[in-house]
Amino acid sequence: MCTTWWLLLFLFHCFLATLPGFQVPESPGTILKCQGLTALHPVVLVPGIVTGGLELWEGKPCAGGLFRKRLWGGSFTETFKRPLCWLEHMSLHNETGLDPPEIRVRAVPGLVGADYFTPGYFVWAVLIENLAKIGYEGKNLYMAAYDWRLSFQNTEVRDQTLSRLKSKIELMYRKNGNKKVVVVPHSMGTVYFLHFLKWVETDPPVGGGRPGWCVKNIKAIMNIGPTFLGVPKTVTNLIFTEAKDIASVRAMDLGVLNSKYLGLQTLEHVMRMCRTWDSIMSLLPKGRETIWGKLDWLPEEGHVCNLPNKKLLQFSPFKYGRMISFGKEAFQLPSSQINVINYNDKNASNKYTAESVIDLLRYVAPKIMQRAEGHFSHGIADDLDDPKYAHYKYWSNPLETKLPDVPDLEIYCLYGVGIPTERSFVYKQSTDRCRSSRFRIDNSVDGDEDSCLKGGVCFVDGDESVPVMSAGFMCAKGWRGRTRFNPSGIATYVREYRHKAPARLLEGRGTESGAHVDILGNVGLIEDILRVAAGSTGAEIGGDRIHSNILSMSDRINLWL
C-alpha cells in the first residue's frame, strides 16, 4: 500500500503535465494576481485538532535520539519503531491535563508546523502557496501554532499561546500600515479562536486585559469547516473507541486491531491516550436537545440524502434525534413503542440524545469528564449577563458567550456540503468481550434501499466530519443580525462549497473537494479567502452561497435569540 502511494505521488508530481489531454488548471492565486489583486490585510492561520505538528523537547530514556523530532505530523516512523514509548509521550497527565513528569512535547512553530500533515499530504500548503502568489510572506502571514491536545485555557497557562497570538496580531497590524488582520481558523481552530476573542478582552489574570482590542485589530474571521456546535462522532470515539472507519475495518474480521494472540490491543491504547487530550471535549455536541433533537424530533427531518451511486437524491426517513441507539428497533421506532433494554449496567438505556450522552460519558469516562468539564461547557445560556458566564469554560461555546462589540467585523462560515456525514449510530453488545469496549457499531443494520442508515451509521449532509448544522447554524441564524449572542450585529456569511470528487486518479484530492481537510485545496474557497484578504467585503464576493438545507434546518430549531 505504501509503495503504491509513493509511486502515484511520484507520477503526480513528475508526469502530470505531460499526460495527453490533461492540463493542470491555473491556480486561483495566479489568476487573481493577473487581475491586479495584491496583499492588503495581514493573514493569520489557526490550525485545528491533529493537523499541527508536535515535537519532543524532553522525554523518557525510551525516547533517546528524538530531541526536537516530530512525534506528530511527518513520517510517523517512531510510531512503528517504539509504539508504547510514543503513546506515553503523546499522552497528557490524567489529572492535570498538562505535561506528565519528565515529558515535554510542544507545537512545531511557523508555517511548516501545519503546511503538510505527512509528506505529500497537504493541509495549509496549497492556501499558503496561493497567498504567496499575490504578495504574502512571513511579515504578513502567520501560522498560530498551538498544542491542540490541551484545553484552550491551558495553552495559555503552559505556553502563553494566547498572549503570543495577541502580540503577533498587534505587531502585524503595526508593521503592515495599520491594516486589520484577517483570521482564518480551521476545524477545532474555529472554537479555539472564539475562546481567544473572549480571552483577549477579559481582565487579568484570567484574560488578556485589552477591552476593545478586537475593534482595532480584526477585519474578518473566515471559519473553515467550523465545529461551532460539535461533532457527533466525537461521542462514539470517546465512549466506544470507534466510528464509521474503525467499524468498517472490524467488519472485515481481520482481528488485528485488538488481537488477543498478538497482544496489540491497539484501540485500547489509543483510547487511553485520546482520553488525556482535553481539547477533544470541545468537539462534543453543544446545545443538547434544543439543537440536536429529542428522542422523537430532530431538525434534519426530511433532509435530502446524497447516496453513493444514485442518480437521484432520496429523502431520508430519519426522524429521531437519537445520537446512540442499541439495536435497530431503538433507532427507528417511536419512544412509546420501544421496550427498555438492560445491558447489565444500571445507567444503560437503549437510546441516547445529545443531552443524555453527556451523562453516559460521565459514567464511562469519569476522569476526563471531571477534568474537562472545568474547561468546557455544552449547554445554552439562559442569561448571558449572568456572572457565571465570565468563566473561561464557556468561551468556546457560541451558545454560552457573546461575540465582541465590533460592528464592522465580518464572520464567515465556509464549509463543504454534499458528503454523507456521521450523525447517529446503532450499537450492539460485542461477543468477544474486548477489554477496550464491550459494544460495537452493528454493521449489519441497514435501512431501506434508499435510506441514509448504512452499516449501523446514519448519515446527514456535511463535509464528511462535521454536519451542516454544526458548521452553518451560527452564521445562518444564531449570529445573524442583532441577537443576544451577537449584540453589535456583526455581519455573518454562509459560503458553502458543493463537493465534487476528482474525475481522475492523478488529480490527487481534487480542486473542488468539500471534504473537511481537502477543502483547504478547494479553488472556490481559496479565491474567497484571497479576495477578502485583498480588501473585499462579504457582499462584494457575493454574500451567502447556500446549497444545503441549512436555512430550513435552522428554522426548525426553537432557540431564543
Side-chain angles (χ1 to χ4, degrees):
M1 184 182 294
C2 292
T3 303
T4 303
W5 167 253
W6 284 111
L7 177 62
L8 292 174
L9 192 65
F10 174 77
L11 292 173
F12 174 74
H13 286 291
C14 296
F15 300 113
L16 184 60
T18 64
L19 293 177
F22 190 93
Q23 295 181 348
V24 179
E26 282 191 295
S27 66
T30 301
I31 296 171
L32 294 177
K33 180 182 179 181
C34 293
Q35 296 176 5
L37 225 67
T38 58
L40 181 62
H41 294 277
V43 173
V44 171
L45 310 176
V46 184
I49 193 170
V50 309
T51 53
L54 300 174
E55 61 186 16
L56 183 69
W57 279 82
E58 181 186 4
K60 300 287 184 69
C62 67
L66 296 181
F67 176 67
R68 293 200 65 200
K69 298 290 181 63
R70 290 200 184 196
L71 295 187
W72 188 272
S75 63
F76 284 93
T77 54
E78 296 307 321
T79 307
F80 303 104
K81 289 181 179 178
R82 30 190 157 180
L84 295 180
C85 181
W86 178 83
L87 285 165
E88 181 181 11
H89 285 74
M90 281 297 298
S91 300
L92 295 171
H93 194 279
N94 248 324
E95 295 181 4
T96 65
L98 296 169
D99 293 325
E102 302 178 37
I103 292 177
R104 282 186 293 148
V105 175
R106 298 293 182 263
V108 177
L111 296 175
V112 297
D115 54 354
Y116 289 92
F117 180 62
T118 59
Y121 189 92
F122 73 83
V123 182
W124 292 94
V126 177
L127 177 57
I128 292 170
E129 181 180 356
N130 279 274
L131 286 164
K133 291 181 184 298
I134 65 169
Y136 282 92
E137 53 183 292
K139 67 180 181 182
N140 54 5
L141 179 61
Y142 174 69
M143 180 73 71
Y146 62 99
D147 188 338
W148 43 261
R149 301 172 302 160
L150 299 173
S151 72
F152 301 158
Q153 193 67 11
N154 273 347
T155 64
E156 174 66 14
V157 171
R158 196 192 74 178
D159 302 330
Q160 293 76 54
T161 307
L162 301 176
S163 293
R164 289 189 283 114
L165 177 56
K166 174 176 70 70
S167 298
K168 185 64 177 181
I169 290 176
E170 291 170 352
L171 178 63
M172 295 175 76
Y173 170 82
R174 293 195 305 270
K175 296 297 184 180
N176 290 276
N178 294 338
K179 294 292 189 297
K180 294 183 179 183
V181 173
V182 172
V183 183
V184 187
H186 172 247
S187 188
M188 190 187 77
T190 61
V191 287
Y192 180 73
F193 193 74
L194 186 65
H195 179 99
F196 170 83
L197 291 177
K198 192 71 174 181
W199 173 89
V200 75
E201 298 194 350
T202 298
D203 292 337
V206 178
R210 293 293 182 90
W213 185 92
C214 297
V215 173
K216 179 180 178 181
N217 292 284
I218 307 295
K219 174 194 186 289
I221 306 171
M222 307 192 75
N223 301 286
I224 303 174
T227 58
F228 287 132
L229 299 182
V231 182
K233 69 179 181 181
T234 304
V235 175
T236 60
N237 281 326
L238 280 171
I239 299 177
F240 305 114
T241 331
E242 69 175 22
K244 175 177 69 70
D245 295 335
I246 297 297
S248 299
V249 174
R250 290 190 193 281
M252 292 187 283
D253 291 326
L254 297 178
V256 172
L257 288 177
N258 279 295
S259 170
K260 297 177 182 178
Y261 305 104
L262 297 179
L264 297 179
Q265 293 297 327
T266 306
L267 294 181
E268 182 178 346
H269 290 304
V270 170
M271 179 175 66
R272 288 175 180 170
M273 177 181 70
C274 293
R275 284 185 178 179
T276 69
W277 299 348
D278 287 347
S279 61
I280 290 180
M281 299 299 294
S282 73
L283 300 177
L284 289 177
K286 301 180 181 72
R288 301 187 178 175
E289 292 185 349
T290 300
I291 298 294
W292 293 96
K294 302 182 179 181
L295 290 175
D296 295 313
W297 171 85
L298 84 167
E300 296 102 332
E301 182 176 355
H303 84 285
V304 174
C305 181
N306 284 302
L307 295 172
N309 304 319
K310 295 285 184 179
K311 294 183 179 179
L312 298 177
L313 297 174
Q314 304 291 339
F315 283 94
S316 170
F318 184 30
K319 298 179 181 179
Y320 309 128
R322 302 163 191 179
M323 203 153 281
I324 293 176
S325 302
F326 289 93
K328 184 176 181 180
E329 182 181 71
F331 178 81
Q332 290 186 325
L333 291 178
S335 298
S336 59
Q337 299 180 23
I338 300 175
N339 295 321
V340 175
I341 300 173
N342 189 337
Y343 284 116
N344 302 318
D345 185 331
K346 66 180 181 180
N347 287 342
S349 176
N350 54 350
K351 49 194 180 299
Y352 293 89
T353 65
E355 185 159 350
S356 53
V357 292
I358 300 295
D359 295 327
L360 181 60
L361 267 169
R362 291 189 184 111
Y363 179 78
V364 173
K367 287 186 178 180
I368 185 175
M369 290 299 290
Q370 182 179 3
R371 185 179 69 248
E373 285 190 300
H375 291 270
F376 299 104
S377 180
H378 306 91
I380 300 175
D382 294 324
D383 179 10
L384 286 166
D385 294 322
D386 189 321
K388 79 174 186 178
Y389 292 108
H391 193 280
Y392 56 77
K393 75 176 185 178
Y394 300 104
W395 295 350
S396 61
N397 182 354
L399 301 175
E400 294 183 307
T401 191
K402 296 179 184 179
L403 291 176
D405 186 8
V406 193
D408 61 346
L409 178 65
E410 293 184 332
I411 296 181
Y412 299 77
C413 291
L414 316 169
Y415 55 90
V417 297
I419 308 179
T421 302
E422 294 161 75
R423 169 61 160 83
S424 298
F425 305 84
V426 179
Y427 275 83
K428 65 179 179 180
Q429 190 167 13
S430 173
T431 57
D432 61 12
R433 299 283 179 175
C434 169
R435 286 182 295 171
S436 60
S437 175
R438 61 193 180 102
F439 299 108
R440 296 282 182 267
I441 289 177
D442 192 345
N443 298 96
S444 66
V445 173
D446 291 320
D448 298 331
E449 181 181 357
D450 296 326
S451 171
C452 293
L453 175 61
K454 300 292 181 183
V457 181
C458 193
F459 300 93
V460 292
D461 195 6
D463 68 1
E464 197 172 37
S465 293
V466 185
V468 162
M469 186 173 61
S470 177
F473 174 79
M474 293 309 297
C475 284
K477 182 175 179 179
W479 290 328
R480 184 60 59 97
R482 289 183 180 272
T483 71
R484 64 192 183 106
F485 306 111
N486 180 16
S488 63
I490 294 170
T492 62
Y493 298 96
V494 176
R495 302 280 290 176
E496 296 181 342
Y497 306 88
R498 192 190 297 277
H499 174 70
K500 183 178 179 182
R504 302 174 180 86
L505 177 63
L506 291 180
E507 285 185 37
R509 289 149 65 192
T511 58
E512 297 180 72
S513 175
H516 189 62
V517 176
D518 295 355
I519 196 174
L520 289 165
N522 184 294
V523 293
L525 174 110
I526 292 172
E527 180 178 343
D528 285 347
I529 292 173
L530 266 58
R531 289 190 180 279
V532 172
S536 295
T537 65
E540 289 169 344
I541 67 171
D544 291 339
R545 182 177 62 200
I546 297 175
H547 302 294
S548 72
N549 293 333
I550 183 61
L551 297 180
S552 58
M553 285 189 286
S554 298
D555 287 340
R556 294 191 190 104
I557 294 174
N558 185 22
L559 177 65
W560 172 55
L561 298 176

